[in-house]
Amino acid sequence: MYLMVADEADQDGSKEFLVYTGVFFPLRNVQSLSDEVASLLEENEFPSEHDLKFSTGSSPKGYSGRKHTAIKNGILSSAAKHGCKICCYVVPHVIAKRQPHEKKLKFGVNTLLYKFEQFMFEQNVDGGVALFDKSEDYKQKTYLKDAFKLGIWSEQKKQEGN
């Protein structure tokens, strides 16, 4: 069984791309990966009261960029060792701006759900769990509930009025 954890970045258009990323974790390896990440944070003295973000610019004030990079590299190496896979949906804002904000986010969600399902089929895995960072930007709870009940393509047709 696999777990997908997904989050979006730069939905406000302040950078060049809208990015929606999902990481696929084999459940049997989640605990050992978590233990390795905790060790990396402790070894590099990352302050426990701060969230670790991928952007080095998000490091706590006064925290070494070199240590932050070492943590990120260690996490990526550990994730690869534990069989994690990553799937990214990337669209330039110059293209995405033609769509309503809600539709841009839903398309990213649909893409990740479809790719997660495809990945599990290719791996001959019968089931998985998809977790998305909480968002109020598109009535996420209702949208995901309908996508689960009806399927992502049924939900997409409902949005388009078909």
Side-chain angles (χ1 to χ4, degrees):
M1 183 175 247
Y2 276 81
L3 167 67
M4 177 183 78
V5 178
D7 194 8
E8 90 294 327
D10 192 33
Q11 60 173 291
D12 65 358
S14 62
K15 299 222 170 50
E16 193 171 348
F17 298 98
L18 167 64
V19 180
Y20 226 128
T21 303
V23 181
F24 307 164
F25 297 88
L27 280 180
R28 68 183 177 280
N29 297 341
V30 168
Q31 185 62 56
S32 57
L33 174 60
S34 178
D35 292 345
E36 285 185 24
V37 169
S39 292
L40 278 166
L41 294 172
E42 188 176 319
E43 288 167 19
N44 288 281
E45 300 169 335
F46 191 81
S48 60
E49 65 274 10
H50 289 278
D51 292 335
L52 178 67
K53 300 282 189 176
F54 200 78
S55 170
T56 305
S58 69
S59 292
K61 193 170 188 88
Y63 190 76
S64 161
R66 196 170 31 86
K67 282 185 175 183
H68 190 260
T69 300
I71 293 170
K72 292 187 303 186
N73 289 341
I75 289 172
L76 292 172
S77 294
S78 184
K81 180 178 86 178
H82 285 87
C84 297
K85 304 294 180 190
I86 190 167
C87 178
C88 296
Y89 167 80
V90 180
V91 63
H93 278 294
V94 72
I95 293 172
K97 71 180 179 181
R98 297 181 193 138
Q99 298 295 324
H101 183 69
E102 182 175 315
K103 192 169 186 177
K104 289 185 286 192
L105 294 178
K106 287 179 179 179
F107 197 85
V109 168
N110 284 349
T111 301
L112 290 179
L113 286 171
Y114 175 74
K115 287 305 198 180
F116 185 48
E117 181 179 46
Q118 181 182 16
F119 171 78
M120 289 187 301
F121 178 77
E122 291 168 356
Q123 299 298 310
N124 198 27
V125 174
D126 287 332
V129 175
L131 300 174
F132 287 84
D133 189 31
K134 186 176 181 185
S135 173
E136 299 299 327
D137 293 317
Y138 61 96
K139 301 178 191 96
Q140 181 187 45
K141 184 177 178 182
T142 301
Y143 182 74
L144 291 173
K145 184 173 113 181
D146 288 348
F148 179 75
K149 280 189 338 193
L150 305 171
I152 57 176
W153 302 118
S154 298
E155 179 60 25
Q156 186 72 26
K157 287 182 180 188
K158 184 174 128 184
Q159 285 178 41
E160 295 167 359
N162 296 330

